[in-house]
């Protein structure tokens, strides 16, 4: 339904989301693999609101239909239940390739499947990109730096990954996915973009995702023990999901084709972060230390000078306001579903 005009663009809405009506000449057909997941669903919102046609391909391993349900029925939107390990024939202009479980408990649940998703899945998406001459963006990860010996991490650092540890299925899967991106660029001229994403949080994280932000918030809101793995002296740097989505879209549409860190350099020890969440939620939780997990990186913080220079991106949401929104989201989830025991 067309509801009016903003500048010279017509606007419409669906379920409260405002959509710019693009002329056919400007509307792209965009594939988002993993589009029913946490990051993917926010990216889909932004692309739909900009007036593009969006096709989501997802096997719903960690993603949920309800993350994109508000677009179902819109003529620009298509949801396909499909596993990227199998080839698929589509006609698209751009591919955002996100499909891959991202939290340690999920990617370690079936390591062989995680490896197949990053290798066969990325080959299939690159084959598709080559056939239809679409530009493809891979959501790689700060995990390619492993347990880094350089701090903060610039893109030029080659990393320190244990190739046979419990995190290897994910870390090495993403590393070889990056290798494949540049092999297809060099051999077949495919236009590639590689985002190395650092820890990201926000609404629609799965409550049983097992990552630190969702675990600590859910524990704090229920006044249950906040579980720190190991000493808590390890660090992470946290980015709000809206900043990430801006970065992905800017990287895709810019001219720079080398790996690019997308993250917020605001760094915390896990101990500091637990205290911060406790304060923000006014929780009475106790902080407890559990056994450290194997190969847990000791520090992580992005050097984002490449993103600043090459695509004009930097984060704009401060961690506190991002956390406030995420806490509101999880409070509602808890009201609706009762007690949640995090992974
Ligand atoms: P998520 O688990 O919420 O989303 C992943 C999506 O991919 C889910 O919808 C899942 O069902 C789908 N999927 C998994 N395997 C698939 C397969 N074989 N075929 C089709 N669909 C499949 O995770 P997220 O946090 O939204 O992460 C999205 C992407 O960003 C991932 O590639 C991840 O590696 C990358 N990333 C995320 C972070 C972060 O902090 N969130 C950090 C670094 C990298
Ligand atoms: N962590 C923790 N308690 C939890 C979940 C995670 O102490 O309940 C720690 C984890 O050991 C790591 C950091 O928090 O040092 C970030 O973990 P997460 O799983 O969010 O992401 P990672 O960066 O390790 O992939």
């Amino acid at each position: 339904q067309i509801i009016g005009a903003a500048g010279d663009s017509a606007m419409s809405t669906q379920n409260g989301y405002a959509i710019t009506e693009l002329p056919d000449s400007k509307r792209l057909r965009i594939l988002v693999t993993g589009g029913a997941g946490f990051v993917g669903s926010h990216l889909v919102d932004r692309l739909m609101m900009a007036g593009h046609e969006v096709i989501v391909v997802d096997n719903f391993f960690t993603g949920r239909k309800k993350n994109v349900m508000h677009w179902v029925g819109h003529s620009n939107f298509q949801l396909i239940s499909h596993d990227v390990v199998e080839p698929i024939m589509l006609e698209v202009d751009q591919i955002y390739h996100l499909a891959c479980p991202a939290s340690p408990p999920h990617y370690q649940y079936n390591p062989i499947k995680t490896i197949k998703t990053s290798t066969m899945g990325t080959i299939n998406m690159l084959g598709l990109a080559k056939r239809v001459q679409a530009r493809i963006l891979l959501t790689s990860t700060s995990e390619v730096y492993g347990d880094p010996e350089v701090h903060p991490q610039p893109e030029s650092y080659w990393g320190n990954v244990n190739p046979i540890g419990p995190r290897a299925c994910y870390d090495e899967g993403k590393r070889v996915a990056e290798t494949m991106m540049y092999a297809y660029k060099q051999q077949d001229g495919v236009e590639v973009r590689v985002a190395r994403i650092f820890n990201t949080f926000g609404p629609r994280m799965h409550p049983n995702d097992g990552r630190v932000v969702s675990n600590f918030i859910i524990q704090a809101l229920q006044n249950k023990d906040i579980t720190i793995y190991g000493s808590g002296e390890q660090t992470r740097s946290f980015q709000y999901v809206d900043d990430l989505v801006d970065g992905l879209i800017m990287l895709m549409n810019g001219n720079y084709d080398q790996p690019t860190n997308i993250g917020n350099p605001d760094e915390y020890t896990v101990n500091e972060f637990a205290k911060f969440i406790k304060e923000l939620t006014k929780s009475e939780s106790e902080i407890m230390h559990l056994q450290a997990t194997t190969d847990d990186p000791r520090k992580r913080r992005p050097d984002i000078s490449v993103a600043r220079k090459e695509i004009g991106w930097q984060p704009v949401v401060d961690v506190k306001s991002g956390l406030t929104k995420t806490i509101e989201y999880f409070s509602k989830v808890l009201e609706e579903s009762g007690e949640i025991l995090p992974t």
Side-chain angles (χ1 to χ4, degrees):
Q1 174 213 4
I2 308 289
I3 55 159
D8 54 6
S9 321
M11 302 288 290
S12 63
T13 59
Q14 165 131 335
N15 292 319
Y17 290 81
I19 305 162
T20 303
E21 295 289 315
L22 286 181
D24 287 352
S25 59
K26 289 197 180 157
R27 191 184 315 121
L28 299 178
R29 193 181 289 166
I30 304 176
L31 169 61
V32 181
T33 75
F38 158 52
V39 174
S41 64
H42 287 277
L43 175 63
V44 167
D45 286 354
R46 201 75 73 78
L47 298 173
M48 283 295 296
M49 289 164 76
H52 297 295
E53 262 182 64
V54 177
I55 303 173
V56 167
V57 162
D58 204 296
N59 71 350
F60 303 108
F61 172 45
T62 51
R64 294 172 294 174
K65 281 196 183 120
K66 68 176 180 187
N67 287 343
V68 288
M69 215 46 212
H70 46 285
W71 295 118
V72 171
H74 194 283
S75 56
N76 283 350
F77 182 74
Q78 201 183 342
L79 179 59
I80 303 176
S81 178
H82 176 84
D83 194 310
V84 293
V85 165
E86 303 298 333
I88 188 166
M89 300 288 268
L90 296 166
E91 306 303 317
V92 293
D93 303 302
Q94 291 186 337
I95 303 169
Y96 287 89
H97 177 38
L98 281 70
C100 183
S103 90
H106 287 153
Y107 70 64
Q108 290 173 23
Y109 169 74
N110 184 344
I112 294 171
K113 181 63 198 249
T114 302
I115 295 166
K116 284 186 184 171
T117 295
S118 269
T119 55
M120 295 157 75
T122 303
I123 286 271
N124 286 333
M125 289 308 120
L126 279 161
L128 172 62
K130 177 182 161 187
R131 183 177 63 81
V132 300
Q133 295 187 350
R135 185 176 288 183
I136 177 169
L137 181 148
L138 170 74
T139 51
S140 184
T141 169
S142 53
E143 300 277 344
V144 299
Y145 303 122
D147 185 15
E149 287 157 330
V150 173
H151 193 73
Q153 294 80 53
E155 291 83 350
S156 53
Y157 177 50
W158 290 354
N160 177 34
V161 175
N162 174 359
I164 57 166
R167 299 175 82 99
C169 58
Y170 183 72
D171 302 7
E172 297 288 18
K174 291 285 187 180
R175 284 171 67 95
V176 78
E178 288 196 10
T179 310
M180 291 176 194
M181 295 288 283
Y182 292 99
Y184 271 76
K185 168 184 144 77
Q186 269 131 33
Q187 201 169 320
D188 292 316
V190 174
E191 287 192 37
V192 300
R193 301 289 184 266
V194 172
R196 290 187 180 154
I197 302 172
F198 284 65
N199 297 62
T200 305
F201 68 93
R204 299 194 196 141
M205 289 184 94
H206 198 294
N208 278 323
D209 183 277
R211 279 179 277 190
V212 70
V213 179
S214 45
N215 273 10
F216 284 6
I217 293 177
I218 290 169
Q219 289 162 343
L221 286 173
Q222 299 178 105
N223 293 316
K224 293 188 193 299
D225 290 347
I226 295 181
T227 54
I228 294 179
Y229 303 153
S231 71
E233 286 308 301
Q234 68 272 37
T235 73
R236 292 295 187 273
S237 305
F238 296 100
Q239 145 175 263
Y240 189 61
V241 65
D242 286 359
D243 281 332
L244 169 59
V245 169
D246 284 342
L248 294 178
I249 292 174
M250 288 167 85
L251 183 63
M252 173 66 104
N253 295 298
N255 293 322
Y256 188 70
D257 71 359
Q258 295 302 297
T260 305
N261 289 341
I262 305 284
N264 187 330
D266 201 355
E267 183 181 5
Y268 299 81
T269 66
V270 170
N271 288 330
E272 288 165 349
F273 197 66
K275 280 193 206 124
F276 194 20
I277 299 275
K278 217 183 130 167
E279 269 165 41
L280 289 177
T281 51
K282 302 189 177 67
S283 171
E284 285 159 23
S285 295
E286 300 287 328
I287 291 182
M288 89 190 264
H289 288 259
L290 301 179
Q291 204 184 355
T293 60
T294 310
D295 294 341
D296 198 357
R298 281 164 294 176
K299 48 189 183 297
R300 181 180 299 154
R301 177 186 182 190
D303 176 335
I304 56 165
S305 20
V306 166
R308 281 201 175 99
K309 175 165 176 274
E310 301 292 346
I311 59 169
W313 175 88
Q314 61 180 15
V316 294
V317 182
D318 65 278
V319 175
K320 187 175 177 184
S321 54
L323 284 175
T324 306
K325 287 184 201 165
T326 313
I327 289 166
E328 266 169 40
Y329 170 79
F330 278 118
S331 304
K332 282 205 197 104
V333 170
L334 281 166
E335 267 168 37
E336 284 160 18
S337 51
E339 189 188 34
I340 295 178
L341 300 173
T343 307

